[in-house]
Amino acid sequence: MIDKLGALQARITAALDGVKNLKELDDLEVAELGRKSEFMLALKGLGELPPEQRRSVGQKANEIKTALAASFGVRRQELRSASLGALAEEEWIDITAPGIRPPAGHVHLTNQAIDEITDIFSRIGFYRYRHPEADWDWYAFEALNMPPDHPARDEWETFFVDAPVHPRLGRMVLTPHTSSGQVREMERRGLPIRMIGISKCYRRQMDVSHVPMFHQFEGLLIDHGVSVTHLKGVLDHFARTYFGPERKTRLRPFHFRFTEPSFEVDISCGICLGTGRLKDGAKCRLCKDGWLELGGAGMIHPNVLSAGKIDPEEWGGFAFGWGVERTMMMRSGLQIPDIREIYKNDLRFLSQF
Ligand code: PHE
């Protein structure tokens, strides 16, 4: 009997050496030491031995069994550390390697400009407000001293909304300028007013320097004793802060129905610094005479104040307004050859800003 167990032990130990992985080891253990294995069946034969042999043979058999279990344990340990070693080899991570940055978006360049413009005016006491971008003819034109059929309206190539006509306020339009917020603000808020309105505007236009949807910002200040010098001071504050400390503004006489007097606001050219000439005496190629046109401004017309139920004898104010896109393109000296790029949502373009 002991010979038989000894022979089995030799066979199993040899097989153990040939085992290549934990799975094979488990299979071998079931086959050779499981309940129905040759080894276990042989052990069962112990009970049939004469009692005087049983003790010594039993002891020996037990030693063989314990030795085999130990051999399995040792081999299991070997295989485990071998597989961990392989894992470390195959799946090692270089924790010093630079990370892979996940693609992240950022604020659109127009919104960056809007935030900055809002901030610049808020420092001198203007609050930002947004008025409706689809509004009545009354606010866009009539309250601004442009009666129906007045030719001045032609300047604003307006989209009309196919909506019921308001008996008093007229047709609905997509606001062609932020000046539609002037009388709205007079109605909404008590005096004095210091508003910077920034909203979308819409005009029937589309070419390299125009898009049908763009943004304007509208300054509106109404108070006692307001004069053109206040307007000039606010514009210079903006020019210096947004464009750079060496920049200044110039007011040129102009005409709007809703301001009197009216101006066009120019800013000194950032390339030739207002001289119109480059260092070598050549003519500046960005501007004509040292100045670049920003937009419109003026002192609020008494009829507009009256439309907003404000007494023009007692109160006065100024307004100014122009395009956000144009302004931001002027500052960066960005050579965006086509303003439509800003709204094509091409990430190769947008991610540069
Ligand atoms: N709303 C005018 C425009 O779109 C600009 C303007 C605003 C002029 C305020 C005067 C005062 O051209």
Side-chain angles (χ1 to χ4, degrees):
M1 163 137 201
I2 291 301
D3 290 349
K4 166 107 204 224
L5 290 179
L8 283 174
Q9 181 184 25
R11 186 180 88 190
I12 297 172
T13 319
L16 257 183
D17 282 341
V19 151
K20 286 192 290 296
N21 54 46
L22 286 165
K23 163 96 175 61
E24 282 182 26
L25 181 82
D26 288 339
D27 291 346
L28 184 72
E29 194 167 24
V30 171
E32 296 289 17
L33 297 181
R35 263 187 299 135
K36 287 182 189 144
S37 61
E38 233 181 306
F39 189 86
M40 284 303 172
L41 291 177
L43 276 186
K44 285 222 174 94
L46 265 178
E48 283 145 35
L49 289 176
E52 66 273 15
Q53 286 183 24
R54 217 181 280 165
R55 203 185 139 90
S56 64
V57 175
Q59 212 169 21
K60 198 90 184 90
N62 243 335
E63 276 165 23
I64 295 178
K65 200 179 151 198
T66 316
L68 271 175
S71 303
F72 269 92
V74 168
R75 188 73 186 123
R76 175 162 278 117
Q77 215 34 62
E78 278 171 16
L79 289 171
R80 264 204 198 126
S81 46
S83 78
L84 276 180
L87 200 68
E89 203 47 52
E90 284 160 19
E91 303 199 0
W92 66 282
I93 296 170
D94 180 359
I95 55 165
T96 65
I100 299 168
R101 193 184 287 272
H106 62 72
V107 175
H108 188 276
L109 69 157
T110 302
N111 281 324
Q112 291 178 28
I114 289 175
D115 289 346
E116 212 175 322
I117 292 166
T118 308
D119 185 53
I120 289 172
F121 285 104
S122 75
R123 275 182 249 158
I124 50 171
F126 285 71
Y127 56 87
R128 178 170 180 208
Y129 199 80
R130 289 178 74 173
H131 290 286
E133 291 164 3
D135 208 348
W136 304 108
D137 179 293
W138 164 261
Y139 291 105
F141 295 111
E142 208 166 334
L144 296 177
N145 204 25
M146 287 183 273
D149 299 325
H150 195 284
R153 289 176 173 228
D154 289 355
E155 288 284 311
W156 292 271
E157 296 163 288
T158 308
F159 289 109
F160 290 89
V161 179
D162 191 5
V165 176
H166 191 286
R168 189 169 48 85
L169 305 174
R171 297 180 69 181
M172 181 165 276
V173 302
L174 297 183
T175 51
H177 56 172
T178 43
S179 298
S180 58
Q182 289 190 13
V183 171
R184 278 222 173 256
E185 189 63 10
M186 295 178 204
E187 289 175 351
R188 187 185 76 88
R189 189 168 156 118
L191 294 163
I193 291 173
R194 273 192 204 187
M195 173 200 77
I196 187 82
I198 314 184
S199 300
K200 294 189 181 75
C201 299
Y202 304 84
R203 291 187 198 175
R204 284 190 53 195
Q205 54 182 21
M206 178 83 146
D207 58 43
V208 288
S209 51
H210 296 92
V211 273
M213 186 283 296
F214 60 104
H215 299 75
Q216 279 193 341
F217 58 105
E218 182 92 5
L220 178 71
L221 182 145
I222 303 178
D223 210 327
H224 291 296
V226 183
S227 75
V228 176
T229 53
H230 297 120
L231 170 63
K232 180 78 165 67
V234 167
L235 294 174
D236 279 339
H237 163 75
F238 175 72
R240 280 195 302 267
T241 322
Y242 189 75
F243 288 97
E246 73 289 356
R247 309 293 282 272
K248 50 186 189 284
T249 62
R250 168 175 91 170
L251 298 181
R252 233 174 340 103
F254 201 70
H255 179 261
F256 293 106
R257 289 282 300 174
F258 38 97
T259 45
E260 182 58 37
S262 300
F263 310 100
E264 276 210 311
V265 184
D266 293 339
I267 178 162
S268 53
C269 174
I271 303 286
C272 65
L273 300 174
T275 60
R277 296 266 166 202
L278 300 177
K279 276 203 191 87
D280 60 6
K283 282 192 102 177
C284 179
R285 256 175 292 147
L286 186 65
C287 63
K288 273 190 246 123
D289 58 350
W291 297 90
L292 298 162
E293 186 188 317
L294 269 181
M299 306 309 290
I300 299 169
H301 194 289
N303 290 356
V304 178
L305 290 170
S306 300
K309 309 223 160 32
I310 292 172
D311 181 0
E313 297 295 327
E314 195 186 332
W315 300 87
F318 63 73
F320 58 87
W322 56 86
V324 172
E325 288 84 350
R326 221 181 98 76
T327 308
M328 79 189 181
M329 281 165 70
M330 276 172 64
R331 174 175 73 173
S332 54
L334 271 180
Q335 300 302 329
I336 301 179
D338 188 337
I339 194 173
R340 291 171 292 192
E341 287 298 335
I342 298 175
Y343 297 116
K344 271 193 192 151
N345 290 342
D346 185 338
L347 289 179
R348 289 169 304 176
F349 173 79
L350 292 177
S351 58
Q352 300 174 73
F353 305 97

